[in-house]
Amino acid sequence: MPNPFKPTAGMTPPVLVGRGDDIEDFSYALDDGVGAPGRLMYLTGARGVGKTVMLNALGDLARQRGWLVIDETAESGFIDRLIGSLSGKSKTHLSSVTMPTASLSVPGAPVAASLNLGSAQFAPAADRALDFRRAMSERLDKLERKRQGILITLDEVQASGIDEIRALATAVQHLIREQRNIAFIFAGLPSMVEDVINDNVLTFLRRAERKHLGDVPLDAVRQAFADTIEANDKNVDDAVLSALAQATNGYPFMIQLVGYWTWRASETGPTADAHVITPEAAAKGIAQAKIKLGDMVHGPALDGLSAMACDYLLAMAQDDGPSSTGEIARRLERNPIYANVYRTQLIKEDIIYQTSYGFVDFKLPYLRDYLREHGAFHQMRRTIASLE
Ligand SMILES: Nc1ncnc2c1ncn2[C@@H]1O[C@H](COP(=O)(O)OP(=O)(O)OP(=O)(O)O)[C@@H](O)[C@H]1O
Ligand SMILES: [Mg+2]
C-alpha cells in the first residue's frame, strides 16, 4: 500500500492540520468580492512550516470557484512566464510570440549565459508591468463576465528578484484600483519577505494581510494521525498516537516525517504488522524522522545563516533548556548589544524564541540535538570557507 504521508517539500499532506482559519479567511475574501482586503496576502514562516502547501490550498479555493490560478516562483523571468500563462501560450513559445526580450529565458540556455546578457537587454520594469497588466486585463475581460477572476501566487519571494516583484506589484496595484476581480498571494521566509515589503517602491504591499504560519496544535496533529492511519486500514492505540503527536512538536514538516517513517516501519522489517502501528514501529519511525529532519531542514536552515548567527545557536546548544542571553554573549566573547543583533535575527526567522525576559530557546524542534551532533561539522566547514 502506498505510504499515505508526504514528507516532500510542497506536497499536499493527507490532512492539512491547523490551517482552517486561514483557509476560511481567504474563502471569505474570495466571496466578499472585489477589493476585499484578504485578496492581497502574504505567508511567512520558517522552513517546512507549510507555506507552499498553503499556497496550493488557497489556490484550490479559487479554482473551485472557476478562477484562473497561476502559480509562480520568484525566480528570474517569472513575469514573462506569467504573461505566457495568461495569454495561453506555453512558456517555450513565448519568446518568439509575445516579446523579443523573453528570448533570455530560452529553455536549456545556461543560467550564466542569460545573466551575462546584462540588464540592458531587459525591457524596463515599467514596460514589463504594462505588458503584464494588459495580459491580465484581457483575460479578466472574459472571466469577469462569468463572475470569475484571477489569482496569482508567488512562492519563494526574495529580494534578489525585486525588479520583477516591483513590476508585478505595480500592475497588481493598478488592477486593484481598477476594481478588477483579482487576488495576489506571495510567500517566503520571514527575512526575505520583509526585505521585499520594506522596499521603497512597494509601499503598497505593506497593506497586504500577513499570515505568519507557525506550529499547529498537538491535539489537531493527533487527530490527523488517527484519521490518516485509520483511513488506510491500520489500528493504533492512544498511547502510540500521543507519542507520535508529541514527537512532531506541532511542526508541520515533522508531522509528515514522523507519519512517513512510522508507516514505513509498520510495513517492513521486524516492526512490520499488517494491521497495527505498534509502539516499536512508532519508536523506530520517530527516531528515523529526527534524522531526516536534520538532513532536510536543520542543515539547509543553518546554511542560510550568517556565521555569527550559527555561533549564537551553537552557544545556545550548550544548555539543556532556555539560555540566558547575557550568558550567550559571554560565551561568544561579544558585548550584549552585538549578540542581540543575532538574537533578533534568529527570532525573526522563527528559529529561536524568547521564553522570558533575557532568555531564549530553540523553536525549530530538535535543533539543539542536531547542533550537538553536527555543530563541529558546521564550524569546520565555515573555517574552511573563510580560508578560501
Ligand atoms: N498544515 C500541515 N499539516 C500537515 N502537514 C503539513 C502542513 N503544512 C505542511 N505540511 C507538510 O510539511 C512539509 C513542508 O511543507 P512546505 O513545503 O509547504 O513548507 P514551506 O514552508 O513551503 O517550506 P520552505 O520554506 O522550505 O519552502 C510537506 O511535506 C507538507 O506536506
Ligand atoms: Mg516552500
Side-chain angles (χ1 to χ4, degrees):
M1 181 188 293
N3 194 316
F5 295 94
K6 306 288 175 215
T8 310
M11 268 289 249
T12 298
V15 179
L16 190 65
V17 183
R19 302 285 184 236
D21 288 350
D22 298 327
I23 290 190
E24 180 60 39
D25 282 354
F26 188 61
S27 179
Y28 183 85
L30 286 175
D31 295 335
D32 197 23
V34 169
R39 286 178 171 212
L40 181 63
M41 186 198 291
Y42 65 98
L43 312 171
T44 67
R47 252 169 228 289
V49 82
K51 298 178 291 295
T52 303
V53 300
M54 266 299 278
L55 286 179
N56 295 344
L58 301 178
D60 287 343
L61 292 177
R63 273 184 211 100
Q64 284 158 15
R65 289 163 173 78
W67 281 41
L68 173 65
V69 180
I70 309 181
D71 301 305
E72 262 303 340
T73 310
E75 279 159 18
S76 172
F78 74 81
I79 286 277
D80 288 345
R81 292 196 297 274
L82 281 173
I83 298 172
S85 309
L86 284 165
S87 56
K89 287 164 189 126
S90 80
K91 291 168 200 160
T92 40
H93 293 135
L94 179 66
S95 52
S96 57
V97 186
T98 327
M99 65 214 66
T101 48
S103 59
L104 289 177
S105 53
V106 171
V111 178
S114 58
L115 290 176
N116 285 340
L117 288 172
S119 55
Q121 303 251 343
F122 285 101
D127 284 4
R128 320 300 301 124
L130 210 59
D131 286 341
F132 171 71
R133 198 170 133 196
R134 205 173 287 142
M136 286 284 281
S137 294
E138 276 169 21
R139 209 51 200 267
L140 283 164
D141 288 343
K142 296 193 190 96
L143 286 164
E144 285 171 350
R145 270 182 241 139
K146 295 178 279 179
R147 306 176 70 81
Q148 292 162 347
I150 302 178
L151 164 66
I152 307 272
T153 77
L154 190 65
D155 202 1
E156 283 163 48
V157 158
Q158 45 193 311
S160 63
I162 197 80
D163 282 344
E164 290 191 65
I165 294 172
R166 280 185 190 141
L168 176 64
T170 311
V172 167
Q173 183 173 16
H174 276 106
L175 291 161
I176 289 177
R177 205 184 285 158
E178 289 163 8
Q179 311 223 333
R180 306 306 303 249
N181 203 19
I182 62 163
F184 174 47
I185 312 177
F186 54 104
L189 295 169
S191 60
M192 307 275 184
V193 170
E194 197 160 303
D195 286 348
V196 169
I197 298 277
N198 289 331
D199 181 82
N200 290 336
V201 182
L202 297 176
T203 49
F204 145 82
L205 288 185
R206 279 176 223 163
R207 271 174 266 147
E209 210 159 272
R210 172 175 184 258
K211 299 273 184 205
H212 190 121
L213 303 181
D215 296 349
V216 294
L218 283 190
D219 50 354
V221 174
R222 188 192 154 96
Q223 190 60 47
F225 277 131
D227 294 347
T228 309
I229 291 168
E230 195 180 313
N232 288 277
D233 299 325
K234 287 207 187 199
N235 293 311
V236 56
D237 71 27
D238 282 350
V240 170
L241 272 181
S242 296
L244 293 177
Q246 283 288 342
T248 70
N249 281 272
Y251 175 60
F253 200 174
M254 196 60 178
I255 304 175
Q256 300 312 312
L257 284 171
V258 167
Y260 181 88
W261 290 99
T262 298
W263 188 270
R264 188 158 153 170
S266 81
E267 296 277 280
T268 55
T271 49
D273 187 315
H275 308 290
V276 184
I277 304 276
T278 61
E280 293 73 25
K284 189 171 159 193
I286 290 169
Q288 197 68 17
K290 287 183 193 172
I291 295 172
K292 296 291 171 187
L293 185 73
D295 296 345
M296 298 170 86
V297 174
H298 297 143
L302 294 179
D303 285 346
L305 294 175
S306 67
M308 199 56 207
C310 267
D311 285 345
Y312 197 100
L313 295 175
L314 285 167
M316 280 177 64
Q318 294 175 21
D319 298 314
D320 293 325
S323 307
S324 144
T325 53
E327 177 57 28
I328 298 293
R330 266 191 294 282
R331 286 178 196 160
L332 294 171
E333 298 175 11
R334 302 282 176 174
N335 71 46
I337 297 170
Y338 184 86
N340 190 37
V341 171
Y342 295 95
R343 184 194 69 117
T344 309
Q345 185 188 336
L346 290 163
I347 288 177
K348 206 186 283 173
E349 293 292 340
D350 272 349
I351 292 174
I352 64 173
Y353 71 106
Q354 181 164 336
T355 50
S356 59
Y357 185 76
F359 283 86
V360 286
D361 203 352
F362 292 101
K363 187 155 184 190
L364 269 185
Y366 307 110
L367 183 55
R368 187 195 319 277
D369 304 337
Y370 180 84
L371 286 164
R372 285 176 176 179
E373 273 173 47
H374 301 264
F377 168 76
H378 277 277
Q379 222 156 19
M380 190 177 73
R381 227 172 48 162
R382 273 210 325 274
T383 311
I384 294 170
S386 67
L387 293 174
E388 279 172 1

Short mmCIF file of all heavy atoms in Angstrom, two decimals, residues 6-19 45-54 155-156 189 213 216 252-256, ligand 1:
data_model
loop_
_atom_site.label_atom_id
_atom_site.label_comp_id
_atom_site.label_asym_id
_atom_site.label_seq_id
_atom_site.Cartn_x
_atom_site.Cartn_y
_atom_site.Cartn_z
N LYS A 6 3.36 12.36 3.35
CA LYS A 6 4.09 13.01 2.26
C LYS A 6 5.17 13.97 2.76
O LYS A 6 4.97 15.18 2.79
CB LYS A 6 3.12 13.83 1.38
CG LYS A 6 1.93 13.03 0.84
CD LYS A 6 2.37 12.08 -0.25
CE LYS A 6 1.23 11.20 -0.70
NZ LYS A 6 1.64 9.85 -1.07
N PRO A 7 6.32 13.44 3.18
CA PRO A 7 7.35 14.35 3.67
C PRO A 7 8.18 14.95 2.53
O PRO A 7 9.38 14.79 2.46
CB PRO A 7 8.22 13.45 4.56
CG PRO A 7 8.07 12.09 3.95
CD PRO A 7 6.75 12.04 3.23
N THR A 8 7.52 15.64 1.64
CA THR A 8 8.19 16.21 0.48
C THR A 8 7.80 17.68 0.39
O THR A 8 6.61 18.00 0.49
CB THR A 8 7.70 15.49 -0.80
OG1 THR A 8 7.81 14.09 -0.59
CG2 THR A 8 8.52 15.89 -2.01
N ALA A 9 8.78 18.53 0.16
CA ALA A 9 8.51 19.98 0.09
C ALA A 9 7.40 20.25 -0.92
O ALA A 9 7.44 19.74 -2.04
CB ALA A 9 9.77 20.73 -0.28
N GLY A 10 6.44 21.04 -0.50
CA GLY A 10 5.38 21.48 -1.42
C GLY A 10 4.31 20.44 -1.69
O GLY A 10 3.35 20.72 -2.41
N MET A 11 4.46 19.22 -1.13
CA MET A 11 3.46 18.17 -1.39
C MET A 11 2.27 18.33 -0.45
O MET A 11 2.44 18.38 0.76
CB MET A 11 4.08 16.79 -1.15
CG MET A 11 4.68 16.16 -2.37
SD MET A 11 3.40 15.65 -3.49
CE MET A 11 3.57 13.89 -3.34
N THR A 12 1.10 18.31 -1.00
CA THR A 12 -0.08 18.44 -0.18
C THR A 12 -0.19 17.24 0.77
O THR A 12 -0.14 16.09 0.34
CB THR A 12 -1.33 18.52 -1.07
OG1 THR A 12 -1.19 19.69 -1.87
CG2 THR A 12 -2.59 18.62 -0.25
N PRO A 13 -0.30 17.52 2.08
CA PRO A 13 -0.36 16.41 3.04
C PRO A 13 -1.74 15.76 3.03
O PRO A 13 -2.70 16.35 2.53
CB PRO A 13 -0.12 17.12 4.38
CG PRO A 13 -0.63 18.51 4.18
CD PRO A 13 -0.40 18.83 2.73
N PRO A 14 -1.85 14.53 3.59
CA PRO A 14 -3.17 13.87 3.63
C PRO A 14 -4.19 14.71 4.39
O PRO A 14 -5.36 14.77 4.00
CB PRO A 14 -2.88 12.54 4.34
CG PRO A 14 -1.54 12.68 4.97
CD PRO A 14 -0.79 13.69 4.18
N VAL A 15 -3.74 15.34 5.47
CA VAL A 15 -4.62 16.27 6.20
C VAL A 15 -3.82 17.54 6.44
O VAL A 15 -2.70 17.49 6.95
CB VAL A 15 -5.02 15.69 7.59
CG1 VAL A 15 -5.92 16.67 8.33
CG2 VAL A 15 -5.69 14.34 7.43
N LEU A 16 -4.39 18.66 6.05
CA LEU A 16 -3.71 19.94 6.29
C LEU A 16 -4.10 20.39 7.71
O LEU A 16 -5.19 20.88 7.94
CB LEU A 16 -4.17 20.95 5.25
CG LEU A 16 -3.41 22.27 5.18
CD1 LEU A 16 -1.97 22.06 4.76
CD2 LEU A 16 -4.09 23.24 4.22
N VAL A 17 -3.17 20.18 8.64
CA VAL A 17 -3.51 20.35 10.05
C VAL A 17 -3.46 21.82 10.47
O VAL A 17 -2.50 22.53 10.14
CB VAL A 17 -2.52 19.55 10.93
CG1 VAL A 17 -2.91 19.66 12.40
CG2 VAL A 17 -2.47 18.10 10.50
N GLY A 18 -4.46 22.25 11.20
CA GLY A 18 -4.40 23.53 11.91
C GLY A 18 -4.45 24.78 11.07
O GLY A 18 -4.08 25.85 11.55
N ARG A 19 -4.87 24.69 9.84
CA ARG A 19 -4.89 25.91 9.00
C ARG A 19 -6.31 26.32 8.61
O ARG A 19 -6.49 27.11 7.67
CB ARG A 19 -4.06 25.68 7.72
CG ARG A 19 -2.61 25.31 7.96
CD ARG A 19 -1.78 26.50 8.40
NE ARG A 19 -0.38 26.14 8.52
CZ ARG A 19 0.34 26.30 9.62
NH1 ARG A 19 -0.20 26.83 10.70
NH2 ARG A 19 1.61 25.95 9.64
N GLY A 45 7.03 32.33 7.46
CA GLY A 45 7.26 31.33 8.49
C GLY A 45 8.50 30.54 8.15
O GLY A 45 9.04 30.66 7.05
N ALA A 46 8.93 29.75 9.13
CA ALA A 46 10.18 29.01 8.99
C ALA A 46 10.10 28.00 7.85
O ALA A 46 9.02 27.72 7.32
CB ALA A 46 10.48 28.28 10.30
N ARG A 47 11.25 27.46 7.52
CA ARG A 47 11.29 26.39 6.53
C ARG A 47 10.42 25.22 6.97
O ARG A 47 10.43 24.84 8.14
CB ARG A 47 12.73 25.85 6.45
CG ARG A 47 13.45 26.23 5.23
CD ARG A 47 14.91 25.90 5.34
NE ARG A 47 15.65 27.07 4.91
CZ ARG A 47 15.71 27.47 3.65
NH1 ARG A 47 15.11 26.80 2.70
NH2 ARG A 47 16.38 28.55 3.32
N GLY A 48 9.69 24.68 6.05
CA GLY A 48 8.92 23.47 6.37
C GLY A 48 7.66 23.71 7.19
O GLY A 48 7.03 22.77 7.65
N VAL A 49 7.29 24.97 7.36
CA VAL A 49 6.10 25.26 8.17
C VAL A 49 4.83 25.08 7.33
O VAL A 49 3.72 24.99 7.86
CB VAL A 49 6.21 26.69 8.76
CG1 VAL A 49 5.79 27.74 7.77
CG2 VAL A 49 5.40 26.81 10.05
N GLY A 50 5.01 25.04 6.01
CA GLY A 50 3.86 24.76 5.15
C GLY A 50 3.39 25.93 4.30
O GLY A 50 2.21 26.01 3.95
N LYS A 51 4.31 26.80 3.91
CA LYS A 51 3.92 27.95 3.08
C LYS A 51 3.46 27.50 1.70
O LYS A 51 2.42 27.92 1.20
CB LYS A 51 5.10 28.93 2.95
CG LYS A 51 5.56 29.51 4.27
CD LYS A 51 6.75 30.43 4.12
CE LYS A 51 8.02 29.70 3.73
NZ LYS A 51 8.54 28.76 4.74
N THR A 52 4.26 26.64 1.09
CA THR A 52 3.93 26.21 -0.27
C THR A 52 2.62 25.42 -0.31
O THR A 52 1.78 25.64 -1.19
CB THR A 52 5.10 25.38 -0.87
OG1 THR A 52 6.27 26.19 -0.84
CG2 THR A 52 4.80 24.99 -2.31
N VAL A 53 2.43 24.53 0.66
CA VAL A 53 1.18 23.76 0.61
C VAL A 53 -0.02 24.65 0.93
O VAL A 53 -1.12 24.39 0.45
CB VAL A 53 1.20 22.50 1.52
CG1 VAL A 53 2.29 21.54 1.14
CG2 VAL A 53 1.28 22.84 2.97
N MET A 54 0.21 25.72 1.68
CA MET A 54 -0.90 26.66 1.90
C MET A 54 -1.25 27.40 0.61
O MET A 54 -2.42 27.61 0.30
CB MET A 54 -0.53 27.68 2.98
CG MET A 54 -0.98 27.29 4.36
SD MET A 54 -2.77 27.13 4.48
CE MET A 54 -3.20 28.85 4.70
N ASP A 155 5.68 32.18 -5.00
CA ASP A 155 6.36 31.49 -3.90
C ASP A 155 7.84 31.87 -3.88
O ASP A 155 8.38 32.33 -4.88
CB ASP A 155 6.20 29.97 -4.09
CG ASP A 155 6.38 29.20 -2.79
OD1 ASP A 155 6.62 29.82 -1.74
OD2 ASP A 155 6.27 27.96 -2.83
N GLU A 156 8.45 31.64 -2.74
CA GLU A 156 9.89 31.87 -2.56
C GLU A 156 10.32 33.27 -2.96
O GLU A 156 11.30 33.47 -3.69
CB GLU A 156 10.68 30.80 -3.29
CG GLU A 156 10.66 29.52 -2.49
CD GLU A 156 11.06 28.30 -3.27
OE1 GLU A 156 12.08 28.38 -3.95
OE2 GLU A 156 10.34 27.28 -3.19
N LEU A 189 10.38 33.10 3.24
CA LEU A 189 10.93 33.10 4.60
C LEU A 189 10.82 34.52 5.17
O LEU A 189 10.85 35.49 4.42
CB LEU A 189 12.40 32.67 4.57
CG LEU A 189 12.65 31.22 4.13
CD1 LEU A 189 14.13 30.98 3.86
CD2 LEU A 189 12.13 30.24 5.18
N LEU A 213 2.74 31.81 9.51
CA LEU A 213 2.41 30.41 9.82
C LEU A 213 3.36 29.88 10.88
O LEU A 213 4.56 30.12 10.83
CB LEU A 213 2.52 29.55 8.55
CG LEU A 213 1.66 29.98 7.37
CD1 LEU A 213 1.85 29.03 6.20
CD2 LEU A 213 0.19 30.04 7.76
N VAL A 216 1.35 23.97 14.78
CA VAL A 216 -0.08 23.66 14.84
C VAL A 216 -0.35 22.89 16.15
O VAL A 216 0.56 22.27 16.70
CB VAL A 216 -0.53 22.86 13.60
CG1 VAL A 216 -0.41 23.72 12.36
CG2 VAL A 216 0.27 21.59 13.41
N PRO A 252 4.89 21.35 11.21
CA PRO A 252 4.22 20.64 10.11
C PRO A 252 5.07 19.64 9.32
O PRO A 252 4.62 18.54 9.05
CB PRO A 252 3.73 21.79 9.22
CG PRO A 252 3.45 22.88 10.18
CD PRO A 252 4.56 22.78 11.19
N PHE A 253 6.28 20.02 9.00
CA PHE A 253 7.10 19.07 8.23
C PHE A 253 7.30 17.78 9.02
O PHE A 253 7.30 16.68 8.49
CB PHE A 253 8.45 19.70 7.89
CG PHE A 253 9.17 19.05 6.73
CD1 PHE A 253 10.34 19.60 6.24
CD2 PHE A 253 8.68 17.91 6.12
CE1 PHE A 253 11.01 19.03 5.17
CE2 PHE A 253 9.35 17.32 5.04
CZ PHE A 253 10.52 17.89 4.58
N MET A 254 7.46 17.94 10.35
CA MET A 254 7.71 16.79 11.20
C MET A 254 6.49 15.86 11.26
O MET A 254 6.63 14.66 11.47
CB MET A 254 8.12 17.28 12.59
CG MET A 254 8.78 16.25 13.46
SD MET A 254 10.32 15.58 12.76
CE MET A 254 10.80 14.48 14.09
N ILE A 255 5.31 16.41 11.04
CA ILE A 255 4.11 15.55 11.02
C ILE A 255 4.26 14.52 9.90
O ILE A 255 4.03 13.32 10.08
CB ILE A 255 2.82 16.38 10.76
CG1 ILE A 255 2.68 17.48 11.80
CG2 ILE A 255 1.58 15.47 10.75
CD1 ILE A 255 1.49 18.42 11.55
N GLN A 256 4.68 15.01 8.74
CA GLN A 256 4.83 14.09 7.60
C GLN A 256 6.00 13.14 7.79
O GLN A 256 5.93 11.97 7.42
CB GLN A 256 4.99 14.87 6.29
CG GLN A 256 3.83 15.80 5.97
CD GLN A 256 2.48 15.11 6.10
OE1 GLN A 256 2.28 14.02 5.60
NE2 GLN A 256 1.56 15.76 6.80
N1 LIG B 1 -0.63 22.11 7.98
C1 LIG B 1 0.04 21.00 7.66
N2 LIG B 1 -0.36 19.79 8.09
C2 LIG B 1 0.32 18.68 7.76
N3 LIG B 1 1.43 18.66 7.01
C3 LIG B 1 1.88 19.83 6.54
C4 LIG B 1 1.22 21.06 6.85
N4 LIG B 1 1.89 22.05 6.27
C5 LIG B 1 2.93 21.49 5.64
N5 LIG B 1 2.94 20.16 5.79
C6 LIG B 1 3.95 19.24 5.24
O1 LIG B 1 5.22 19.78 5.60
C7 LIG B 1 6.14 19.69 4.50
C8 LIG B 1 6.67 21.06 4.15
O2 LIG B 1 5.65 21.88 3.60
P1 LIG B 1 6.01 23.07 2.60
O3 LIG B 1 6.93 22.58 1.55
O4 LIG B 1 4.74 23.69 2.17
O5 LIG B 1 6.80 24.07 3.57
P2 LIG B 1 7.39 25.51 3.21
O6 LIG B 1 7.03 26.42 4.33
O7 LIG B 1 6.99 25.90 1.84
O8 LIG B 1 8.96 25.23 3.29
P3 LIG B 1 10.18 26.04 2.54
O9 LIG B 1 10.43 27.27 3.37
O10 LIG B 1 11.33 25.08 2.64
O11 LIG B 1 9.73 26.32 1.14
C9 LIG B 1 5.38 18.98 3.38
O12 LIG B 1 5.71 17.61 3.44
C10 LIG B 1 3.93 19.18 3.73
O13 LIG B 1 3.14 18.09 3.28
#
